[in-house]
Amino acid sequence: MHEQVHSWLTEKMRAPGILACGLRFPDRKTFTRSQSPQFAPVALENACRCMADTFQVIHSNRFPIERVRWVFDNYFMYGSTREDGICFAVLTRRDNSNLNPADLDVIFQEFQGLTP
């Protein structure tokens, strides 16, 4: 199971414009990938936890949201969750001309169909 998750995350890092990404499972296991030492694993794990907590609050209030985007000074963090509670987060530059929004949509669709 974890081998598939690691392979999938590594593959997603090849998409132009993605700086880091991570998956957080309901049992609190978190898997991250980064293209830069600037985004340390512990910081990415914390960001994934915060994203998962946000989705938990959103869903407990019955808001019909599948994806969010957090806006920072120089970065966007996109997140999505599944019915089984797995959360996926993607970090990109805010001014990223390399990132194709359609590619990001495909990645999130793949996430929804990922078999952990």
Side-chain angles (χ1 to χ4, degrees), residues 81-102:
T81 191
R82 301 179 350 167
E83 286 187 24
D84 61 5
I86 300 172
C87 182
F88 177 52
V90 175
L91 184 70
T92 68
R93 291 197 191 285
R94 192 169 178 180
D95 60 354
N96 194 341
S97 60
N98 293 335
L99 181 67
N100 182 345

Side-chain angles (χ1 to χ4, degrees), residues 68-89:
V68 298
R69 181 177 76 175
W70 291 346
V71 179
F72 299 97
D73 286 338
N74 298 313
Y75 303 98
F76 287 137
M77 179 165 261
Y78 298 89
S80 182
T81 191
R82 301 179 350 167
E83 286 187 24
D84 61 5
I86 300 172
C87 182
F88 177 52

Side-chain angles (χ1 to χ4, degrees), residues 7 10 16 27 37 60 69-71 74 81 94 104 106 114:
S7 295
T10 300
D27 65 0
S60 69
R69 181 177 76 175
W70 291 346
V71 179
N74 298 313
T81 191
R94 192 169 178 180
L104 198 56
V106 168
L114 183 66

Side-chain angles (χ1 to χ4, degrees), residues 50-67:
C50 292
M51 183 73 70
D53 290 348
T54 299
F55 275 112
Q56 187 175 20
V57 170
I58 288 171
H59 288 216
S60 69
N61 286 293
R62 294 185 170 82
F63 291 119
I65 295 176
E66 294 179 15
R67 203 181 303 174

